[in-house]
Amino acid sequence: MRLLVVYDVSDNGKRSRLAKELKRFGLSRIQRSAFAGEVDQQRFKDLCRACSTLVDEDTDVVHVIQLGLRDWERRVVIGVEGGGEDDRGFVV
Amino acid sequence: MRLLVVYDVSDNGKRSRLAKELKRFGLSRIQRSAFAGEVDQQRFKDLCRACSTLVDEDTDVVHVIQLGLRDWERRVVIGVEGGGEDDRGFVV
């Protein structure tokens, strides 16, 4: 399944660890606080669990959205996709 | 159609004007830099045009993603949906 993960995390350390974890799951950065990529059902569950252990649910928010491939392919990108705090990711 | 708009805009003034514009289109804030809501095909085009006039395409990025209702309804939210720089928006 194709996932879009968008997050708003205030603490720099937590935000950085979350980004690393999303990359570990094979997602690519599409914006500073947004990643996208393909995972299977089990890794989707593991990813959600990992996200909830890495953020403060009182102050932060993470959206994990399953996307149809067609919806993903017809997305409109205004500006430069990828990039972010530490690298210039590429969308799979 | 249901839209998700996610943005990474560095200039505070531009970012604030973009948020106001997205609210004007009837979208609700789901995170600091993410809005969601329902628009028809014409307003989808108008919204994309408005976004591209409001941001610097060399430094900023906006993703406008059409979502199936089912994909939206089964989104996973970790933390508190809504809220942001100027208000606590509510998801439609």
Side-chain angles (χ1 to χ4, degrees), chain A residues 8-57:
Chain A
D8 182 2
V9 175
S10 37
D11 177 79
N12 291 337
K14 283 185 176 135
R15 197 171 54 244
S16 170
R17 280 190 295 276
L18 178 61
K20 277 193 189 102
E21 189 71 358
L22 295 174
K23 268 184 249 170
R24 206 175 61 78
F25 274 92
L27 275 62
S28 295
R29 189 192 295 270
I30 62 166
Q31 286 189 24
R32 198 185 317 238
S33 297
F35 280 71
E38 288 284 333
V39 297
D40 61 29
Q41 186 66 27
Q42 183 54 50
R43 284 175 66 80
F44 166 68
K45 289 177 190 162
D46 298 343
L47 181 146
C48 290
R49 201 173 304 118
C51 288
S52 57
T53 60
L54 285 168
V55 304
D56 179 339
E57 296 197 27

Side-chain angles (χ1 to χ4, degrees), chain B residues 26-39:
Chain B
L27 275 62
S28 293
R29 189 191 297 268
I30 61 167
Q31 285 189 26
R32 200 187 316 242
S33 299
F35 280 72
E38 288 285 331
V39 298

Side-chain angles (χ1 to χ4, degrees), chain B residues 26-90:
Chain B
L27 275 62
S28 293
R29 189 191 297 268
I30 61 167
Q31 285 189 26
R32 200 187 316 242
S33 299
F35 280 72
E38 288 285 331
V39 298
D40 60 29
Q41 186 65 26
Q42 183 53 51
R43 285 177 63 80
F44 167 67
K45 289 177 188 161
D46 297 343
L47 182 145
C48 291
R49 203 172 302 117
C51 287
S52 56
T53 60
L54 286 168
V55 303
D56 179 338
E57 296 197 26
D58 292 331
T59 57
D60 303 332
V61 58
V62 182
H63 281 88
V64 183
I65 299 167
Q66 298 177 48
L67 278 182
L69 186 58
R70 190 163 162 269
D71 286 340
W72 175 252
E73 287 174 342
R74 61 180 180 170
R75 72 195 180 281
V76 171
V77 182
I78 297 156
V80 182
E81 193 165 67
E85 276 149 350
D86 54 354
D87 67 348
R88 282 207 77 83
F90 291 96

Side-chain angles (χ1 to χ4, degrees), chain B residues 1-15:
Chain B
M1 79 185 68
R2 170 152 295 266
L3 281 190
L4 174 69
V5 180
V6 185
Y7 55 87
D8 182 3
V9 175
S10 37
D11 177 79
N12 290 338
K14 284 185 176 136
R15 196 171 54 244

